[in-house]
Amino acid sequence: MARIVVVSNRVSLPSRDRDAQAGGLAVALRGFLKRGEGIWFGWSGRTVAKGEETLHRVDHAGVTYITTDLSRSDYQEYYNGFANRMMWPILHYRLDLAEFSSRDLAGYIRVNELFADGIHQFLRPDDVIWVHDYHLLPLAKALRERGHQNKIGFFLHVPFPPPELLTALPKHERTILSLCHYDLVGFQTDGDADNFERYLTNECLMPSRNRRTFIAGTRTMRIGVFPVGVETVEFERLARRTARLAFAREVLASLGDRRMIIGVDRLDYSKGIGLRVRAFDQFLADYPRWRGGVTYLQITPRSRSEIREYANMERQIDESVGRVNGRYGEAAWTPIRYVNRPYSRSTLAGLYRSAHAALVTPLRDGMNLVAKEYVAAQDAEDPGVLILSRFAGAACEFQAALLVNPNDPEAVAAAIDQALSMPIEERRARHRQMINVLAENDIKFWGSRFIGALTAPSDGAYRPWQASA
Ligand code: ADP
Ligand code: F6P
């Protein structure tokens, strides 16, 4: 079997605290690579002075981790700059937050070249390369320019917006169109894949064989939909075990006989945490019988704090949590418990299982693994209720969740009331539908479907392809 080389900006290195690293990509790839041998290449997480970037290698449980440091300016321009101040907001439909700088774009291209140089050193001709997420759109092009004709696939973990929005990205051909150097480009949902197809057809006038196969020079580039999953069986087992352990019992005991609602998100504006707090405020106002009877636990590790929008949002959420607690709280009851720290997977699993409902209300999300983890963690006999944003990719598979518009605090408040009042038969029926999806499409299935599609025979040797746009 061919060696798989996984490439992503964020690498979950084996360490004592890796189990508490937030971020869907790292969690998903960790699950995928448990299947056997492979290489995981990416950023070491360290910044160093220019010229002192080193490659590091760690071998652990069949996986070789090769990582590179970044110089401080590369980190600033590529990660904090182009990837997270330009690409992230645009891909999440937030043009108002996007900040373009040619310097950041140059840094982004430069780091992709640096990654390609790093990979070039160990690549074998029959390796299958799987690149992940918006940090690395131009990587295949850089590898092709170094002569590599390997199968190279790309998977986007985040949403792909309609072309009308995407073309607001200055010089979008340099980044988005470079995806055509991959053999297979995978998305979370049909809507994302359709948006990419429309971009290629209408904006770039790219010839296609059908809506999912495009002709890029003498090569073909295929588009596919591969909704990412979780480690369904293992996660349920973990949740069952830890819900019985001291920590989960202590949390439950501290709630008395109150219901618990849980939210778990990186501190990111795409997650809609501020609006969620407002919806909980609305819920306490509209349904006063629940006052004193329910506690909302929001677990939110800080993320990308060096970026201004993130720092501002952090302050705003702190303030709105304080306002709700001040308005409704009592000496013996705090309506919202707000925690800014990571937890181990087992602790999270136990907390999910103990919660009567989960609030997963991103304004826009590629998939949202928290929604899937929450469902996987439930006791099938007495499951909690998932309140899910219709704008999360997970909503395509989870029609049995209580689907809400996160921009409508009254609707979310009504869904909270419905979740907490839902009869057990309905809870079981909804859970059954969702767990069936998760049982089939777990993380291993996701990985093997993608690699299977990538390595399936297709035609043509590589000849450099140039965008006509
Ligand atoms: P994103 O990739 O945008 O962060 P996802 O919901 O897809 O969003 O994935 C988040 C992942 O990070 C999940 O696997 C979740 O369990 C994990 N996570 C989120 N918050 C925490 C936390 N406080 N501690 C540990 N892991 C967390
Ligand atoms: O899943 C989306 C994602 O952006 C991943 O690419 C990333 O690893 C994760 O969220 C966390 O973000 P960061 O790597 O910037 O901490």
Side-chain angles (χ1 to χ4, degrees):
M1 205 178 113
R3 194 169 67 157
I4 310 277
V5 178
V6 166
V7 190
S8 60
N9 172 65
R10 186 71 65 186
V11 175
S12 181
L13 288 164
S15 70
R16 260 187 310 128
D17 61 354
R18 88 183 307 209
D19 201 33
Q21 284 168 2
L25 177 146
V27 171
L29 291 182
R30 231 156 55 203
F32 166 71
L33 280 168
K34 272 192 198 160
R35 65 189 253 296
E37 293 181 8
I39 293 181
W40 191 350
F41 183 92
W43 176 38
S44 65
R46 270 177 262 187
T47 53
V48 294
K50 194 142 204 72
E52 288 180 16
E53 302 91 331
T54 327
L55 279 184
H56 310 269
R57 178 185 168 134
V58 178
D59 291 285
H60 180 79
V63 178
T64 301
Y65 300 81
I66 304 176
T67 55
T68 176
D69 304 327
L70 292 180
S71 73
R72 279 184 260 289
S73 56
D74 281 352
Y75 167 73
Q76 211 42 47
E77 291 160 21
Y78 147 81
Y79 176 78
N80 279 336
F82 196 76
N84 285 321
R85 254 202 306 260
M86 189 71 209
M87 291 304 293
W88 179 270
I90 289 204
L91 293 171
H92 288 84
Y93 296 59
R94 290 298 303 268
L95 271 186
D96 57 317
L97 297 179
E99 277 177 50
F100 180 76
S101 121
S102 300
R103 192 182 168 143
D104 288 349
L105 173 58
Y108 179 80
I109 305 280
R110 198 170 57 240
V111 170
N112 272 268
E113 300 279 338
L114 178 82
F115 270 43
D117 285 337
I119 297 165
H120 178 67
Q121 297 180 29
F122 63 78
L123 209 56
R124 297 182 197 146
D126 59 347
D127 284 342
V128 171
I129 307 166
W130 190 7
V131 180
H132 292 259
D133 237 357
Y134 59 97
H135 313 84
L136 301 173
L137 304 181
L139 187 62
K141 179 169 185 284
L143 286 168
R144 301 290 185 212
E145 284 165 357
R146 284 159 182 73
H148 298 292
Q149 300 197 15
N150 306 50
K151 290 276 186 193
I152 314 181
F154 177 86
F155 183 76
L156 187 70
H157 290 251
V158 300
F160 193 89
E164 292 76 8
L165 236 142
L166 198 64
T167 44
L169 170 68
K171 305 184 179 39
H172 54 89
E173 307 83 0
R174 285 196 70 186
T175 46
I176 308 298
L177 256 190
S178 61
L179 281 173
C180 295
H181 294 266
Y182 289 93
D183 297 289
L184 174 67
V185 177
F187 295 94
Q188 300 274 25
T189 68
D190 281 316
D192 296 323
D194 289 345
N195 286 339
F196 185 45
E197 183 257 315
R198 283 209 298 129
Y199 171 79
L200 294 177
T201 308
N202 301 347
E203 277 302 321
C204 310
L205 309 177
M206 207 167 163
S208 61
R209 207 170 285 155
N210 54 53
R211 293 184 56 230
R212 294 290 187 253
T213 312
F214 282 79
I215 317 293
T218 54
R219 309 175 61 254
T220 54
M221 186 268 304
R222 283 169 301 140
I223 302 176
V225 178
F226 306 87
V228 64
V230 294
E231 295 179 275
T232 311
V233 173
E234 295 83 345
F235 207 78
E236 195 277 331
R237 211 176 290 142
L238 195 62
R240 197 172 345 132
R241 208 170 338 120
T242 42
R244 288 197 294 260
L245 297 184
F247 179 78
R249 282 170 178 272
E250 196 182 317
V251 173
L252 279 184
S254 73
L255 295 172
D257 53 8
R258 292 187 188 98
R259 309 286 179 93
M260 173 164 80
I261 301 177
I262 195 166
V264 176
D265 313 76
R266 274 184 311 104
L267 189 40
D268 194 294
Y269 50 78
S270 65
K271 304 293 180 185
I273 304 167
L275 272 168
R276 196 184 305 168
V277 170
R278 211 174 123 202
F280 190 69
D281 187 350
Q282 187 81 41
F283 163 71
L284 293 175
D286 292 353
Y287 303 90
R289 70 195 162 91
W290 287 110
R291 287 183 203 162
V294 56
T295 297
Y296 162 31
L297 170 64
Q298 176 64 47
I299 300 178
T300 299
R302 294 197 173 86
S303 174
R304 306 176 192 163
S305 309
E306 289 172 36
I307 300 173
R308 196 180 50 238
E309 289 75 23
Y310 286 74
N312 291 345
M313 178 193 45
E314 218 172 298
R315 235 188 350 268
Q316 285 160 9
I317 296 174
D318 284 352
E319 285 167 12
S320 46
V321 168
R323 264 197 304 277
V324 176
N325 283 342
R327 187 174 306 144
Y328 296 103
E330 287 163 21
W333 173 58
T334 307
I336 306 180
R337 292 189 189 177
Y338 182 55
V339 184
N340 283 134
R341 50 157 290 182
Y343 281 105
S344 69
R345 294 198 67 63
S346 54
T347 302
L348 278 185
L351 289 172
Y352 287 138
R353 194 171 175 103
S354 310
H356 296 90
L359 268 174
V360 183
T361 56
L363 304 178
R364 198 58 70 173
D365 215 329
M367 175 52 60
N368 198 292
L369 291 186
V370 167
K372 293 195 164 181
E373 289 167 358
Y374 179 73
V375 170
Q378 296 310 299
D379 174 359
E381 289 307 308
D382 185 17
V385 180
L386 174 65
I387 300 169
L388 178 64
S389 163
R390 52 176 296 188
F391 304 123
C396 298
E397 290 168 283
F398 283 175
Q399 290 295 307
L402 289 185
L403 295 181
V404 293
N405 175 357
N407 301 299
D408 182 349
E410 286 166 17
V412 177
I416 299 175
D417 177 57
Q418 187 186 349
L420 296 178
S421 321
M422 191 178 285
I424 187 142
E425 294 74 24
E426 184 179 347
R427 281 193 277 129
R428 283 184 189 148
R430 286 177 183 270
H431 176 257
R432 203 175 313 120
Q433 285 188 44
M434 292 189 278
I435 199 76
N436 285 344
V437 173
L438 291 188
E440 194 180 329
N441 184 27
D442 69 358
I443 192 70
K444 292 203 179 72
F445 184 70
W446 169 72
S448 54
R449 263 193 73 219
F450 188 94
I451 297 295
L454 175 59
T455 50
S458 69
D459 44 358
Y462 178 72
R463 229 188 30 224
W465 168 83
Q466 287 305 323
S468 53

